[in-house]
Amino acid sequence: MRIKKILNFGLLSLVSISNINAFAAEPMNLDNLLRRAEENSEAIQASEKTIQSIRAEISGRDLLLSPKLEAEVADARDNRDSVAANQRFRTQLLDVSLTKLFSTGTQVSVSAGHDITSTETTGRRNIGSWEFKVSQSLWRDAFGRNTKLRHQAEEAELQARTLTAVYQRQSFLVELENAYWDLLYAKKEEDVRRSNIERSETVEKWTRDRARRSMAEPTDLLQAQALVSSRQLELIGVRNRIESLQNRIQQLVPNQTPRTWQIDLKELEASRPFEQLLTGSGSAEPVRLDSLSSRFRAQQADSEASRTDDSLRPKVDAYVSYGQNGADERFATSWDRAKDPQFSAARVGVTLSMDLDWTLKDDQRRAARLNAEARELEARAQSRLSNVGWADLKREIDELKRQEKEAGRLADLQEKKVAAERSRYRLGRTTVFQLITFEIDAANSQITLARIRADLRKLEARARIFTRQAGVQ
């Protein structure tokens, strides 16, 4: 009676554990895993922040064209000895200027200031002044040429760096998919190995029974036992691989528990239209993201070379300025006089500035042009690799689909052979060696089919690093 209670308690415990495991099982598929990766993966989040950082950084470079405010407040005393009499003075000043650069190469500035100067001869004087000035670049950055080239280079740089970040993100998703499909393949192999062990144990039981009745040789029983042991060893290896893959997924996507996942192995059989996995949309010929990035790098280098050439030209600016001032003992009166046109000053002129070392300027031009040519050659090589890679990807997928079809037919035939051979063995019409050989062939054919399907799913995933877009929108 006590033993019966212990057995009943053990049975209830097993049922309870089974219910807990069933309750803890978490349905999982690829779409759900990718969604969690988008939400939790540091690699994905880093890529998104990198893209945002690139956009903000390049947009912030237009700070060069933003209004610039400069101000100075000073209290100056000059009591130095001088050959001129009574030249010691004290000045208090406030100067404010506002400057705005435009993309057309135009610069507008407005300045105003007020000085309070005290000398021994004139006493205290208030001087108020203001000036308005406009200048226009005529050669270097002629009518905004250099700014346009900078914007072209920055747009190409934005596309190139963003595409690089997107490529890294998509490569991460491909790596995650590969781990997921390898896990499904290992799980499928585990099921096949476990089922094969059960059948091998059945064969061992039949052989032992026949050997007991002197209808089978002792070596037949040894063969059957060796088959079971071999299958057990293979199952241990598969389960170790499953553990490694689960750990790998945990490394890629934090806060995940793959050991509790309930995975539908039929997902391994679901073919996907791999062209729908392309990044973005469009109608252009598919191209690798890193190849497209190289193309924009070449455009950036070309614009930078033109910009370097422009920046080494002489700086010739035409300008016009107009200002007024007024001086008086009183603050208000000085500014009243500063409003009077009779105390005005106007200037129209041209300024010239140029570097005279032609050798160094030629070196800079040559370096920029050679860099542009190097980037263009790299882009061509990457484009060729991309075109070949896309064609090869489609070829490999078509080839694996044919292999999948043939492997499926072979697995069905092997299963039928095993079923027929089992019937013959029970009737004593074949040897245990023949049956074991058929069992091994059937198991291997199922595993081969699962491997081909996993490889096919991984090939489809590689489409994620291709795009039909001409650039990042």
Side-chain angles (χ1 to χ4, degrees):
M1 180 63 69
R2 184 176 181 182
I3 294 176
K4 185 176 181 181
K5 288 182 179 180
I6 293 174
L7 291 175
N8 288 337
F9 177 77
L11 181 61
L12 289 173
S13 300
L14 289 174
V15 172
S16 299
I17 293 172
S18 176
N19 290 336
I20 291 173
N21 289 335
F23 179 76
E26 179 184 10
M28 180 59 63
N29 56 35
L30 178 63
D31 291 338
N32 194 11
L33 177 60
L34 294 179
R35 179 182 58 79
R36 294 187 180 189
E38 293 281 351
E39 295 173 352
N40 302 313
S41 171
E42 295 90 348
I44 297 292
Q45 294 173 5
S47 295
E48 294 296 334
K49 291 185 181 297
T50 298
I51 292 172
Q52 296 174 19
S53 171
I54 293 169
R55 294 184 183 277
E57 175 198 338
I58 293 180
S59 175
R61 293 178 188 175
D62 265 344
L63 183 63
L64 294 172
L65 300 178
S66 66
K68 182 178 181 180
L69 176 67
E70 293 182 339
E72 180 184 5
V73 178
D75 185 353
R77 290 180 174 85
D78 192 343
N79 295 322
R80 292 175 295 179
D81 199 7
S82 174
V83 296
N86 302 322
Q87 291 301 309
R88 298 176 181 178
F89 65 89
R90 177 184 180 185
T91 299
Q92 295 174 307
L93 62 87
L94 170 63
D95 289 332
V96 179
S97 65
L98 181 64
T99 305
K100 176 68 172 77
L101 294 174
F102 294 89
S103 60
T104 56
T106 307
Q107 178 174 315
V108 177
S109 64
V110 178
S111 61
H114 189 86
D115 295 355
I116 303 176
T117 303
S118 300
T119 66
E120 296 177 356
T121 56
T122 61
R124 181 186 178 92
R125 303 288 287 180
N126 285 272
I127 303 174
S129 62
W130 61 269
E131 184 183 51
F132 177 78
K133 183 178 181 180
V134 179
S135 66
Q136 175 63 53
S137 177
L138 301 178
W139 198 340
R140 183 191 299 180
D141 195 24
F143 299 98
R145 169 179 165 80
N146 198 278
T147 302
K148 292 176 184 177
L149 290 172
R150 177 173 67 85
H151 284 163
Q152 290 176 8
E154 288 174 348
E155 177 60 27
E157 180 186 358
L158 171 64
Q159 295 286 344
R161 293 174 62 186
T162 303
L163 283 166
T164 299
V166 173
Y167 174 75
Q168 293 173 348
R169 181 186 65 192
Q170 296 303 104
S171 297
F172 171 83
L173 293 178
V174 172
E175 182 182 1
L176 180 59
E177 267 209 53
N178 289 343
Y180 180 75
W181 295 124
D182 284 340
L183 177 61
L184 261 67
Y185 164 56
K187 288 279 191 179
K188 178 65 177 179
E189 184 178 355
E190 181 188 32
D191 286 353
V192 172
R193 298 292 188 193
R194 188 166 52 241
S195 175
N196 197 249
I197 287 175
E198 293 174 357
R199 292 193 291 185
S200 298
E201 288 173 343
T202 301
V203 171
E204 180 187 0
K205 180 181 178 182
W206 291 345
T207 306
R208 181 178 288 105
D209 183 65
R210 293 183 64 180
R212 188 171 55 251
R213 290 181 289 147
S214 301
M215 297 177 63
E217 297 292 333
T219 55
D220 291 339
L221 179 58
L222 291 175
Q223 283 182 331
Q225 291 173 336
L227 176 63
V228 173
S229 180
S230 175
R231 287 293 181 258
Q232 292 283 6
L233 186 61
E234 291 169 344
L235 182 60
I236 292 173
V238 171
R239 286 175 173 169
N240 180 63
R241 195 163 79 248
I242 289 174
E243 286 288 329
S244 297
L245 289 167
Q246 289 172 339
N247 291 335
R248 179 57 181 157
I249 292 175
Q250 279 187 299
Q251 291 173 357
L252 295 173
V253 185
N255 305 321
Q256 301 303 307
T257 53
R259 290 168 183 79
T260 65
W261 287 354
Q262 182 181 353
I263 301 176
D264 186 1
L265 297 181
K266 290 185 178 180
E267 190 178 11
L268 200 62
E269 306 173 14
S271 178
R272 299 174 293 174
F274 74 101
E275 290 202 6
Q276 291 184 7
L277 297 176
L278 294 171
T279 301
S281 60
S283 57
E285 184 68 17
V287 60
R288 280 175 61 109
L289 290 164
D290 54 344
S291 174
L292 190 57
S293 176
S294 295
R295 189 183 306 172
F296 282 109
R297 289 288 185 189
Q299 294 179 13
Q300 176 192 355
D302 185 68
S303 296
E304 289 287 359
S306 299
R307 186 184 174 204
T308 298
D309 185 66
D310 184 80
S311 65
L312 294 174
R313 294 175 177 179
K315 188 175 186 298
V316 180
D317 293 346
Y319 71 90
V320 57
S321 65
Y322 179 85
Q324 296 178 186
N325 78 336
D328 193 86
E329 296 178 356
R330 292 168 295 180
F331 177 87
T333 305
S334 67
W335 278 101
D336 288 339
R337 293 169 66 86
K339 299 175 185 177
D340 192 335
Q342 67 174 319
F343 304 113
S344 64
R347 178 180 292 185
V348 177
V350 176
T351 62
L352 170 65
S353 174
M354 60 186 298
D355 298 310
L356 297 179
D357 196 324
W358 301 101
T359 301
L360 295 180
K361 291 198 293 185
D362 287 342
D363 286 344
Q364 289 194 6
R365 290 190 182 97
R366 183 168 174 268
R369 184 50 54 191
L370 288 174
N371 180 63
E373 292 174 0
R375 300 292 82 74
E376 177 63 26
L377 291 173
E378 289 176 356
R380 290 180 189 175
Q382 287 289 336
S383 178
R384 184 170 61 255
L385 291 175
S386 174
N387 293 336
V388 173
W390 177 252
D392 197 51
L393 178 60
K394 293 195 295 184
R395 180 193 60 79
E396 288 187 44
I397 287 178
D398 291 340
E399 177 63 26
L400 274 182
K401 285 183 176 179
R402 288 192 291 269
Q403 291 185 25
E404 179 189 24
K405 183 177 180 180
E406 192 62 31
R409 193 171 72 88
L410 177 61
D412 291 340
L413 290 174
Q414 294 285 16
E415 194 63 30
K416 291 177 181 178
K417 281 176 55 179
V418 168
E421 197 66 13
R422 280 172 171 270
S423 298
R424 294 183 65 214
Y425 183 76
R426 283 195 296 268
L427 297 175
R429 296 178 181 177
T430 187
T431 64
V432 68
F433 177 79
Q434 183 76 1
L435 177 57
I436 289 174
T437 301
F438 283 15
E439 290 277 3
I440 293 174
D441 291 342
N444 290 339
S445 65
Q446 292 182 35
I447 293 171
T448 299
L449 176 60
R451 178 184 55 78
I452 291 174
R453 285 172 172 167
D455 290 343
L456 187 53
R457 301 291 86 79
K458 291 193 287 185
L459 273 179
E460 292 168 350
R462 278 169 50 187
R464 294 184 183 276
I465 62 174
F466 286 83
T467 181
R468 289 188 183 274
Q469 290 183 187
V472 180
Q473 303 300 318

